Coordinates of all heavy atoms in Angstrom, one line a residue:
G14 N 0.3 6.2 10.2 CA -0.5 5.2 10.8 C -1.9 5.6 10.8 O -2.3 6.7 11.1
C15 N -2.8 4.6 10.5 CA -4.2 4.9 10.6 C -4.9 3.6 11.0 O -5.0 2.7 10.1 CB -4.8 5.4 9.2 SG -6.5 5.7 9.3
L16 N -5.4 3.5 12.2 CA -6.1 2.3 12.7 C -7.5 2.8 13.1 O -7.6 3.8 13.7 CB -5.4 1.7 13.8 CG -3.9 1.2 13.6 CD1 -3.3 0.7 14.9 CD2 -3.9 0.1 12.5
L17 N -8.5 1.9 12.9 CA -9.8 2.2 13.3 C -10.0 1.6 14.7 O -9.8 0.4 14.9 CB -10.8 1.7 12.3 CG -10.7 2.2 10.9 CD1 -11.7 1.5 10.0 CD2 -10.9 3.7 10.8
K18 N -10.4 2.5 15.7 CA -10.4 2.0 17.1 C -11.4 0.9 17.3 O -11.2 0.0 18.1 CB -10.7 3.2 18.0 CG -12.1 3.7 17.9 CD -12.3 4.9 18.9 CE -13.7 5.4 18.7 NZ -14.0 6.5 19.6
D19 N -12.5 0.8 16.5 CA -13.4 -0.3 16.7 C -13.0 -1.6 16.0 O -13.6 -2.6 16.1 CB -14.8 0.1 16.2 CG -14.9 0.6 14.7 OD1 -13.8 1.0 14.2 OD2 -15.9 0.4 14.1
R20 N -11.8 -1.5 15.3 CA -11.3 -2.7 14.6 C -10.0 -3.2 15.2 O -9.5 -4.2 14.7 CB -11.1 -2.4 13.1 CG -12.5 -2.3 12.4 CD -12.3 -2.2 10.9 NE -11.3 -2.9 10.3 CZ -11.3 -4.1 9.8 NH1 -12.4 -4.8 10.0 NH2 -10.3 -4.7 9.2
V21 N -9.5 -2.6 16.3 CA -8.3 -3.1 16.9 C -8.8 -4.0 18.1 O -9.3 -3.6 19.1 CB -7.5 -2.0 17.5 CG1 -6.3 -2.5 18.3 CG2 -7.0 -1.0 16.4
F22 N -8.7 -5.3 17.8 CA -9.3 -6.3 18.7 C -8.2 -6.9 19.6 O -8.5 -7.6 20.6 CB -9.9 -7.5 17.9 CG -11.0 -7.0 17.0 CD1 -10.8 -7.1 15.6 CD2 -12.2 -6.5 17.5 CE1 -11.8 -6.6 14.7 CE2 -13.1 -6.0 16.6 CZ -13.0 -6.1 15.2
D23 N -6.9 -6.7 19.3 CA -5.9 -7.4 20.0 C -4.8 -6.4 20.4 O -4.3 -5.6 19.6 CB -5.3 -8.4 19.0 CG -4.1 -9.2 19.5 OD1 -3.0 -8.6 19.5 OD2 -4.3 -10.3 20.0
A24 N -4.4 -6.4 21.7 CA -3.4 -5.5 22.2 C -2.1 -5.7 21.4 O -1.3 -4.7 21.2 CB -3.2 -5.6 23.7
G25 N -1.7 -6.9 21.1 CA -0.5 -7.2 20.4 C -0.5 -6.6 19.0 O 0.5 -6.1 18.6
Q26 N -1.6 -6.6 18.3 CA -1.8 -6.0 17.0 C -1.5 -4.5 17.1 O -0.8 -3.9 16.3 CB -3.2 -6.3 16.5 CG -3.5 -5.6 15.1 CD -5.0 -5.8 14.8 OE1 -5.8 -6.0 15.6 NE2 -5.3 -5.7 13.5
F27 N -2.1 -3.9 18.1 CA -2.0 -2.5 18.3 C -0.5 -2.1 18.6 O 0.0 -1.2 18.0 CB -2.9 -2.0 19.4 CG -2.8 -0.5 19.7 CD1 -3.3 0.5 18.8 CD2 -2.1 0.0 20.8 CE1 -3.1 1.8 19.0 CE2 -2.0 1.3 21.1 CZ -2.5 2.2 20.2
T28 N 0.1 -2.8 19.5 CA 1.5 -2.6 19.9 C 2.4 -2.8 18.7 O 3.3 -1.9 18.5 CB 1.9 -3.6 21.0 OG1 1.0 -3.4 22.1 CG2 3.3 -3.3 21.5
D29 N 2.1 -3.8 17.9 CA 3.0 -4.0 16.7 C 2.9 -2.8 15.8 O 3.9 -2.3 15.2 CB 2.5 -5.3 16.0 CG 3.3 -5.5 14.7 OD1 4.5 -5.6 14.7 OD2 2.6 -5.6 13.6
A30 N 1.6 -2.3 15.6 CA 1.4 -1.1 14.7 C 2.1 0.1 15.2 O 2.8 0.8 14.4 CB -0.1 -0.9 14.5
V31 N 2.1 0.3 16.5 CA 2.7 1.5 17.1 C 4.2 1.4 16.9 O 4.9 2.4 16.6 CB 2.3 1.7 18.6 CG1 3.2 2.7 19.3 CG2 0.9 2.0 18.7
R32 N 4.8 0.2 17.2 CA 6.2 0.0 17.0 C 6.7 0.2 15.6 O 7.7 0.8 15.3 CB 6.6 -1.4 17.5 CG 6.6 -1.5 19.0 CD 7.1 -2.9 19.4 NE 7.1 -2.9 20.9 CZ 6.7 -3.9 21.6 NH1 6.2 -5.0 21.0 NH2 6.7 -3.9 22.9
R33 N 5.9 -0.3 14.6 CA 6.2 -0.1 13.2 C 6.2 1.3 12.8 O 7.2 1.8 12.1 CB 5.1 -0.9 12.4 CG 5.7 -1.3 11.1 CD 4.8 -2.3 10.3 NE 3.8 -2.9 11.1 CZ 2.5 -3.1 10.7 NH1 2.1 -2.7 9.6 NH2 1.7 -3.7 11.5
V34 N 5.3 2.1 13.3 CA 5.2 3.6 12.9 C 6.4 4.3 13.6 O 7.0 5.1 13.0 CB 3.9 4.2 13.3 CG1 3.9 5.7 13.2 CG2 2.8 3.6 12.4
A40 N 1.4 1.9 9.3 CA 0.4 0.9 9.8 C -0.9 1.4 9.3 O -1.4 2.5 9.8 CB 0.5 0.8 11.3
M41 N -1.6 0.7 8.4 CA -2.9 1.1 7.9 C -3.9 0.0 8.1 O -3.6 -1.1 7.8 CB -2.7 1.5 6.4 CG -1.8 2.6 6.1 SD -2.4 4.2 6.7 CE -3.8 4.5 5.7
D42 N -5.0 0.4 8.6 CA -6.1 -0.6 8.7 C -6.5 -1.1 7.3 O -6.7 -0.3 6.4 CB -7.3 0.0 9.4 CG -8.4 -1.0 9.7 OD1 -9.1 -1.4 8.8 OD2 -8.5 -1.4 10.9
P43 N -6.6 -2.4 7.1 CA -7.0 -2.9 5.8 C -8.3 -2.4 5.3 O -8.5 -2.2 4.1 CB -7.1 -4.4 6.0 CG -6.2 -4.7 7.2 CD -6.3 -3.5 8.1
Q44 N -9.3 -2.1 6.2 CA -10.6 -1.6 5.8 C -10.4 -0.2 5.2 O -11.1 0.2 4.3 CB -11.5 -1.5 7.0 CG -12.9 -1.1 6.6 CD -13.9 -1.2 7.8 OE1 -13.5 -1.1 8.9 NE2 -15.2 -1.4 7.5
V45 N -9.6 0.6 5.8 CA -9.3 2.0 5.3 C -8.7 1.9 3.9 O -9.1 2.6 3.0 CB -8.4 2.8 6.3 CG1 -7.9 4.1 5.6 CG2 -9.0 3.0 7.6

Side-chain angles (χ1 to χ4, degrees):
C15 181
L16 301 176
L17 301 176
K18 67 180 179 180
D19 60 332
R20 290 187 32 90
V21 177
F22 304 111
D23 178 280
Q26 175 191 23
F27 178 73
T28 303
D29 177 56
V31 170
R32 285 185 179 135
R33 208 171 337 140
V34 171
M41 298 294 291
D42 185 283
Q44 186 177 26
V45 172

